[in-house]
Amino acid sequence: MRSSYINPGDKVSISVKVSDGPRRSYMSYIDTLVDEQTLLIYTPIFKGQVIRLSTFEDYEFVFYAQTGLYRTDGKVLANFVENNVAIVKIQIGRLESIQRREFYRVTTTFEFTYTRPMLGADETGDLPLYPATGENISGGGMCFLSPTLLSEEEPIYCTLPMKDQMITIEAIVLHTESPEDSRELYGMYEYRARFYFREKRDQEAVMQYVFAKQREILLRRKMQFEAVDSDDKNQGTPRRR
């Protein structure tokens, strides 16, 4: 039963699937499970504006359930208002569990840039680039610092240095932390962001980068331990346990 995986109140990310150009992502919540393939969700709101989802588009849905994360494709059947609440009726396919290995998080610092498609292009016709510094990363998302104030649930496109290649990944800002004393000291806002991959190879590239960084950290720790152990032996001190 699909209801054993997702339930009313669970968060859902809605992403418009397009062949080219920036993809838009919005956050909402499940209202009602009609049957195995049909759900009612609340119409998403972005920056105070109600986002009407077209019945002529294909969508990708990611459900944040208590039992894990699930991805599926689907479509919008109808938009309507019930008890003064805007509702979207959707039809979804088979739920695919997002493996937890995608979310092993490694602490590492890296510089990257991102664009904000919701703001549109500048006078040159290009999307402006914004600087940022990654603090940690996993196969599912990252934490980063940026001097630019972003909105929660805002989609961004990040160009990341993954070992010997640069890849561009869509992400959605999930959470913003900007304590006033921290901002005054560092001039930065801190964000958590969730990745959305158009290509499987991009996700694999990120995961390979994460695992490579993990191996580097473990190797460094091993070398440090061996160095301390060697000093202890040379000084005739008992070996540390």
Side-chain angles (χ1 to χ4, degrees):
M1 293 288 291
R2 182 164 291 129
S3 58
S4 65
Y5 298 109
I6 57 178
N7 293 282
D10 287 344
K11 184 189 297 184
V12 55
S13 168
I14 309 153
S15 183
V16 183
K17 299 182 66 178
V18 294
S19 56
D20 56 4
R23 182 170 59 172
R24 301 289 177 87
S25 298
Y26 305 102
M27 301 300 293
S28 185
Y29 294 87
I30 298 176
D31 175 54
T32 306
L33 304 177
V34 179
D35 56 41
E36 286 291 291
Q37 291 186 298
T38 310
L39 289 76
L40 301 182
I41 64 173
Y42 297 107
T43 300
I45 297 176
F46 183 78
K47 293 185 176 180
Q49 180 180 359
V50 174
I51 306 298
R52 184 179 176 84
L53 302 178
S54 172
T55 55
F56 299 101
E57 299 281 357
D58 292 325
Y59 293 90
E60 179 186 68
F61 299 95
V62 175
F63 296 95
Y64 296 74
Q66 292 185 357
T67 56
L69 281 80
Y70 301 92
R71 179 192 294 117
T72 186
D73 293 334
K75 60 182 179 181
V76 172
L77 299 179
N79 294 274
F80 59 93
V81 176
E82 185 176 82
N83 298 324
N84 294 322
V85 177
I87 298 292
V88 183
K89 186 176 184 179
I90 65 173
Q91 185 178 72
I92 61 174
R94 182 182 179 86
L95 294 177
E96 172 193 354
S97 176
I98 299 177
Q99 298 298 318
R100 297 308 303 174
R101 74 187 186 97
E102 297 178 17
F103 299 98
Y104 177 82
R105 191 170 297 274
V106 63
T107 300
T108 182
T109 302
F110 54 95
E111 304 297 323
F112 70 96
T113 59
Y114 63 89
T115 59
R116 304 174 68 185
M118 294 292 289
L119 300 185
D122 58 18
E123 61 275 6
T124 67
D126 298 322
L127 292 174
L129 294 176
Y130 298 87
T133 301
E135 294 186 297
N136 59 57
I137 187 171
S138 74
M142 64 178 173
C143 291
F144 67 95
L145 299 172
S146 176
T148 305
L149 178 61
L150 303 174
S151 302
E152 291 192 8
E153 303 183 3
E154 178 179 353
I156 58 176
Y157 275 75
C158 309
T159 300
L160 305 175
M162 297 288 99
K163 197 175 180 179
D164 56 351
Q165 61 178 322
M166 302 291 289
I167 61 174
T168 299
I169 302 172
E170 182 183 358
I172 186 168
V173 178
L174 299 180
H175 183 64
T176 306
E177 295 182 3
S178 56
E180 289 302 318
D181 56 342
S182 175
R183 173 152 175 76
E184 290 176 2
L185 181 62
Y186 301 108
M188 293 287 184
Y189 294 94
E190 184 175 21
Y191 300 100
R192 285 193 301 110
R194 160 81 176 144
F195 292 145
Y196 290 92
F197 296 96
R198 291 194 181 198
E199 302 291 342
K200 186 67 175 180
R201 63 174 179 268
D202 290 339
Q203 185 178 35
E204 290 297 330
V206 173
M207 292 172 64
Q208 289 174 11
Y209 175 83
V210 170
F211 293 147
K213 288 296 181 181
Q214 179 190 13
R215 287 193 294 270
E216 289 178 11
I217 292 172
L218 293 176
L219 180 60
R220 267 200 312 270
R221 289 177 179 173
K222 179 181 178 182
M223 295 175 64
Q224 290 171 351
F225 176 81
E226 290 176 346
V228 171
D229 189 51
S230 176
D231 289 344
D232 287 345
K233 287 181 179 180
N234 292 336
Q235 295 174 14
T237 56
R239 183 174 180 174
R240 296 185 180 181
R241 298 289 181 183

